[in-house]
Amino acid sequence: FYSRSGVPKSDHCNGNAWDSDGLCLCNGTSWGGDCSHTSFCIGNTRVKIEEGKTYELQSSVHATEMALSSENGIDFIVSQDKHPYPNDLDCTYELDFGVDSSDAARVARIELYYDIEEAFDFLRLRSGLDENSTYNVLSGRHSHPETFYIPVDENGIASLHFTTDDKGRRRGFYAKISGENLSKSDCDIGWFGSHCESSYCLQRNALLQTAGGNKSESFAGRVI
């Protein structure tokens, strides 16, 4: 992990290592150009994804899997008013899978627990970094793991972008990230997503949907 919000002196990473460019390699629960911020995510933090490894990302040190999970799907182990995230938050995790010249369809597998103020605060899952690359927009709460497959862009990047407004707070999100190569295939009617994992029509779908033997592409929340 390293933050790109600033380039610190290479001897000032608060006990963490640094890379060849002098960027601090934070540990996933600290943020900022010198890894000195240890409460909640800030700025842009890049995560280099290595094959076969799983990475844990959090919106804050308190947004753990245990805090955001529930056996019955309703009551959280840690109450809603404990350790809320700040208002006016804007942070991004950049998932760097590296450039791959093969024909494999590479995706970021993102397993999420989240508790986000519904309709006001949002977690956006993107293929790349810009707003037009958004595949999923999440709000509300989900105390059982929900899995998404987000295509990696031509630069080898996928991302999670978390924003909050100036009122209301919840606990945030916890994510497990890994990379997968997928074989392109058609989804059955009524299923969507890069891995046919969702029964809901998504904002974007990388693969084609099959309807009675005819192919139709789902885009921007519509099937056309």
Side-chain angles (χ1 to χ4, degrees):
F1 298 85
Y2 61 89
S3 172
R4 290 172 34 165
S5 59
V7 181
K9 294 180 180 179
S10 59
D11 61 348
H12 189 60
C13 291
N14 286 281
N16 294 280
W18 55 86
D19 68 7
S20 59
D21 296 320
L23 292 170
C24 290
L25 297 164
C26 303
N27 58 14
T29 55
S30 62
W31 299 271
D34 59 356
C35 304
S36 63
H37 190 74
T38 57
S39 297
F40 50 84
C41 63
I42 57 174
N44 286 34
T45 301
R46 178 161 289 202
V47 184
K48 286 189 171 293
I49 306 296
E50 297 182 16
E51 186 177 352
K53 292 186 177 180
T54 299
Y55 299 79
E56 298 180 16
L57 309 182
Q58 301 166 230
S59 57
S60 76
V61 294
H62 301 294
T64 62
E65 180 178 3
M66 178 177 290
L68 293 174
S69 64
S70 170
E71 291 185 358
N72 59 22
I74 300 174
D75 298 321
F76 289 98
I77 294 175
V78 178
S79 64
Q80 182 172 286
D81 59 348
K82 291 293 183 77
H83 310 304
Y85 51 67
N87 294 124
D88 299 315
L89 190 62
D90 189 334
C91 64
T92 300
Y93 277 113
E94 303 175 8
L95 311 178
D96 182 3
F97 291 82
V99 177
D100 187 358
S101 59
S102 70
D103 293 330
R106 294 192 300 160
V107 297
R109 184 184 187 278
I110 304 175
E111 182 180 304
L112 277 167
Y113 300 82
Y114 53 91
D115 179 20
I116 301 170
E117 187 187 18
E118 188 171 0
F120 294 99
D121 302 337
F122 302 98
L123 177 62
R124 295 172 173 86
L125 310 183
R126 292 174 170 168
S127 174
L129 296 173
D130 64 271
E131 184 176 351
N132 292 330
S133 67
T134 300
Y135 270 73
N136 302 81
V137 181
L138 307 179
S139 192
R141 68 179 190 174
H142 205 283
S143 58
H144 285 161
E146 189 170 13
T147 303
F148 301 88
Y149 296 84
I150 306 302
V152 174
D153 73 1
E154 64 274 11
N155 297 311
I157 301 294
S159 63
L160 289 76
H161 181 215
F162 184 45
T163 57
T164 69
D165 69 355
D166 61 351
K167 298 180 181 66
R169 299 185 294 170
R170 296 294 185 268
R171 269 101 39 85
F173 69 88
Y174 170 86
K176 292 181 180 179
I177 310 292
S178 59
E180 290 189 14
N181 292 329
L182 296 182
S183 300
K184 291 188 177 183
S185 60
D186 297 330
C187 297
D188 293 332
I189 188 74
W191 289 93
F192 306 89
S194 299
H195 203 31
C196 304
E197 75 277 8
S198 176
S199 59
Y200 300 98
C201 185
L202 305 177
Q203 182 173 357
R204 283 180 166 219
N205 291 285
L207 304 184
L208 297 177
Q209 314 302 312
T210 301
N214 299 317
K215 293 183 178 180
S216 56
E217 186 174 3
S218 173
F219 178 78
R222 298 176 294 119
V223 178
I224 55 177

